[in-house]
Amino acid sequence: MNPNIKQSSKINFSDQVIRSKNEGCITAIRGSIVDIQFEKDLPSIFSVVRTGKKMEVVIEVQLQLDTKHVRGIALTPTQGLARGMKAESSNEPLKVPVGAETLGHMFDVFGNTSDHFVLPDSLEWRSIHKAPPSLMQRSTNSEVFETGIKAIDVLVPLERGGKAGLFGGAGVGKTVLLTELIHNMVKNHNGISMFCGIGERCREGLELYHDMKEAGVLPNMVMMFGQMNELPGARFRVGHAALTMAEYFRDDEHKDVLLLIDNIFRFIQAGMEVSGLMGQMPSRLGYQPTMGTELSQLEERIANTSAGAITSIQAVYVPADDLTDPAAVHTFSHLSASIVLSRKRASEGLYPAIDHLQSGSKMATPGIIGERHYNIAQEIRQTLAQYEDLKDIIAMLGLEQLSAGDQKTVNRSRRLERFLTQPFYTTEQFSQFKGKNVSLKDALDGCERILNDEFKDYPESDFYMIGTIDEVKQKKVRNVS
């Protein structure tokens, strides 16, 4: 490493070991696509070439056209480039910094900090391109990843080292839920959180940064953004760059990592733009022919190994609500759990606004979560489904017209719905409720006791925004006194 070169807010590849540079010449420029001629040592695929008046334009090689020409896609704007300009290649891929010093900071795809923090010269830089862990390295045990959030742990258990999809529109509590998961990851698992924003609006990134800072979880997390206004080549590589940082904490520090990706559809979209720019023939609905491979190369790196686990929660946008869209189909094949957020529940103030009947998990089997947990979860779903069927009758005729059995079902359901709400640590400053972290054992006990009608004489409001079920009795004692 060259000790004389310092980090700055501008793109800087000085940290990547500079070998003897191979000089070439630009032969063609078509928007973000640049063709470069090299007389010798043709750069390899995915290696970085720099050009421009101050070598500020970064190009990633995508194709080797012949023995002397390569075609690359620009990761930075190409204004000012001209044919005949000099280009330099050290035959190295794009690299990002890894290490404990990255915690608490926000990065772009080139490894530059967005919060004006100067990285130490001793920091290691690693390639963003890496093969997924081999089958021999992967853990074969299916473990539940406990989040401390009742509605998720009981009905949609997440897999340690697995991938969960988070489906929800604007204003239903998606970011709040992600923020709380980061908080609980630090508290419960002594782990690291990694937020990767692919195609994010700069406003969303700034708000999230300040939210994390106020919630006190920033020192145990790393944030990486590829903003919406950046070129498709840069947005396409943000996910790989974030995974390289996350893999360091898993493989070298042996810690569990929670990787939050928002939004995985924008990764596919960026790949589609890159493919179109490169002149590839599109497949169905305009998607790139290599979509399945590109998504797998990213998703398969998220895994549970003997060293640690990367557990991922990914926001998924479904185009036109069409679940048969190729982007949705390819993404669903990688997910082990689906968390669906409901606008109706959010409007009723039932937070987290998880739709318990639409959400599901592959982990919810007796062999993984145990017979008791499985039976309780099934009974909850059955009770809530029956209540959903009875809502039309209640709206037309009233609760009194139902049979005694149906009335019991409605009472249980309404108490369960309210018990599965939970006050979050990250919203304490906005609400009068103090945040609660509930263990899976306490959550199951509470649901079981409600299903057994132990609390049928308690008012529904006592179950709203509480932690464990014992708080219901404490409320009653306070109310009586």
Side-chain angles (χ1 to χ4, degrees):
M1 189 178 294
N2 189 338
N4 299 318
I5 301 176
K6 296 178 181 178
Q7 286 287 333
S8 72
S9 59
K10 294 181 181 177
I11 293 159
N12 192 336
F13 286 86
S14 56
D15 321 67
Q16 305 170 27
V17 180
I18 295 178
R19 300 172 181 174
S20 54
K21 290 192 178 70
N22 183 19
E23 290 193 359
C25 174
I26 293 177
T27 57
I29 306 160
R30 292 178 299 281
S32 296
I33 301 300
V34 183
D35 290 354
I36 306 166
Q37 178 181 343
F38 289 88
E39 291 300 324
K40 59 177 183 177
D41 300 329
L42 201 66
S44 56
I45 303 293
F46 300 148
S47 63
V48 166
V49 177
R50 289 181 289 166
T51 184
K53 291 179 180 176
K54 298 179 180 178
M55 294 296 159
E56 75 282 6
V57 180
V58 183
I59 297 165
E60 186 181 70
V61 176
Q62 295 286 325
L63 281 175
Q64 292 180 332
L65 299 174
D66 53 40
T67 55
K68 290 190 176 181
H69 293 84
V70 295
R71 178 167 292 167
I73 185 152
L75 307 185
T76 53
T78 55
Q79 284 93 333
L81 289 191
R83 290 171 63 187
M85 265 190 176
K86 187 176 77 170
E88 291 181 351
S89 167
S90 54
N91 208 21
E92 296 230 324
L94 195 61
K95 292 186 177 183
V96 289
V98 296
E101 293 87 347
T102 61
L103 290 171
H105 301 291
M106 186 162 31
F107 294 86
D108 63 11
V109 70
F110 304 104
N112 301 308
T113 56
S114 305
D115 52 2
H116 310 295
F117 173 74
V118 178
L119 294 171
D121 289 339
S122 58
L123 208 59
E124 182 186 355
W125 290 64
R126 289 185 183 175
S127 166
I128 67 168
H129 300 284
K130 187 181 175 185
S134 67
L135 290 176
M136 295 295 290
Q137 293 174 298
R138 291 175 187 259
S139 173
T140 53
N141 296 328
S142 292
E143 298 176 53
V144 172
F145 178 79
E146 213 171 304
T147 63
I149 298 170
K150 291 179 285 189
I152 294 177
D153 289 342
V154 173
L155 293 170
V156 200
L158 304 185
E159 181 184 6
R160 182 175 176 266
K163 296 168 273 279
L166 182 61
F167 304 84
V172 293
K174 192 168 55 179
T175 303
V176 172
L177 187 58
L178 293 180
T179 312
E180 187 70 7
L181 284 165
I182 291 170
H183 180 278
N184 291 356
M185 176 69 180
V186 173
K187 189 170 183 179
N188 293 352
H189 301 270
N190 191 28
I192 302 297
S193 296
M194 177 91 212
F195 186 91
C196 173
I198 304 176
E200 284 283 279
R201 299 168 186 85
C202 57
R203 170 188 60 79
E204 292 173 334
L206 187 65
E207 285 176 2
L208 189 67
Y209 178 81
H210 288 299
D211 287 346
M212 298 298 173
K213 202 169 186 178
E214 287 172 20
V217 297
L218 198 59
N220 286 287
M221 72 176 296
V222 184
M223 302 176 79
M224 177 165 279
F225 286 94
Q227 292 175 29
M228 197 175 271
N229 62 321
E230 292 184 30
L231 294 179
R235 282 183 274 123
F236 188 54
R237 290 301 178 210
V238 170
H240 299 93
L243 261 169
T244 297
M245 286 181 156
E247 283 167 342
Y248 167 83
F249 291 108
R250 180 190 67 188
D251 300 334
D252 294 43
E253 301 273 348
H254 303 294
K255 289 185 176 180
D256 281 359
V257 182
L258 179 64
L259 174 65
L260 304 161
I261 301 177
D262 188 8
N263 185 308
I264 200 67
F265 174 76
R266 294 194 191 122
F267 167 77
I268 295 172
Q269 207 171 32
M272 182 166 59
E273 292 177 53
V274 169
S275 174
L277 288 167
M278 292 299 295
Q280 292 180 346
M281 184 72 73
S283 66
R284 187 166 151 251
L285 297 183
Y287 288 105
Q288 64 271 40
T290 53
M291 177 174 65
T293 306
E294 290 167 358
L295 187 61
S296 298
Q297 285 171 346
L298 182 77
E299 297 279 11
E300 290 302 306
R301 287 171 68 179
I302 303 168
N304 182 5
T305 68
S306 53
I310 298 176
T311 304
S312 174
I313 298 177
Q314 307 170 8
V316 183
Y317 167 69
V318 181
D321 292 333
D322 179 15
L323 295 176
T324 63
D325 188 273
V329 170
H330 280 83
T331 305
F332 288 146
S333 65
H334 293 280
L335 301 178
S336 56
S338 301
I339 303 169
V340 181
L341 298 182
S342 160
R343 191 169 299 282
K344 185 173 180 293
R345 287 180 63 81
S347 66
E348 294 170 1
L350 300 173
Y351 289 105
I354 296 170
D355 189 323
H356 306 306
L357 298 177
Q358 292 289 323
S359 304
S361 170
K362 293 178 182 175
M363 298 292 285
T365 61
I368 297 174
I369 61 176
E371 288 283 350
R372 177 173 174 258
H373 184 169
Y374 176 76
N375 291 333
I376 291 171
Q378 289 296 96
E379 198 173 344
I380 291 170
R381 287 183 189 279
Q382 192 176 354
T383 305
L384 294 175
Q386 287 173 352
Y387 176 44
E388 201 66 34
D389 292 338
L390 292 169
K391 278 182 178 177
D392 289 340
I393 300 172
I394 296 168
M396 288 186 291
L397 303 175
L399 186 63
E400 297 77 18
Q401 298 302 316
L402 297 177
S403 66
D406 285 345
Q407 285 187 23
K408 279 186 176 180
T409 299
V410 170
N411 289 335
R412 283 184 206 133
S413 297
R414 291 181 66 84
R415 282 161 177 75
L416 279 170
E417 279 186 338
R418 279 148 187 78
F419 177 65
L420 290 173
T421 63
Q422 189 169 337
F424 284 170
Y425 289 97
T426 49
T427 56
E428 282 181 358
Q429 63 266 43
F430 309 116
S431 68
Q432 71 271 33
F433 302 109
K434 189 169 168 42
K436 300 285 171 63
N437 191 323
V438 185
S439 69
L440 176 59
K441 179 182 177 298
D442 289 337
L444 287 174
D445 286 345
C447 292
E448 191 173 40
R449 290 165 72 181
I450 291 171
L451 289 167
N452 291 335
D453 289 332
E454 187 180 325
F455 297 92
K456 63 181 179 180
D457 298 324
Y458 289 73
E460 292 171 6
S461 57
D462 286 358
F463 296 83
Y464 180 68
M465 286 294 172
I466 61 170
T468 61
I469 197 69
D470 293 328
E471 291 180 37
V472 175
K473 292 186 175 179
Q474 292 168 13
K475 271 189 179 182
K476 189 169 186 179
V477 170
R478 284 198 299 269
N479 292 338
V480 170
S481 60

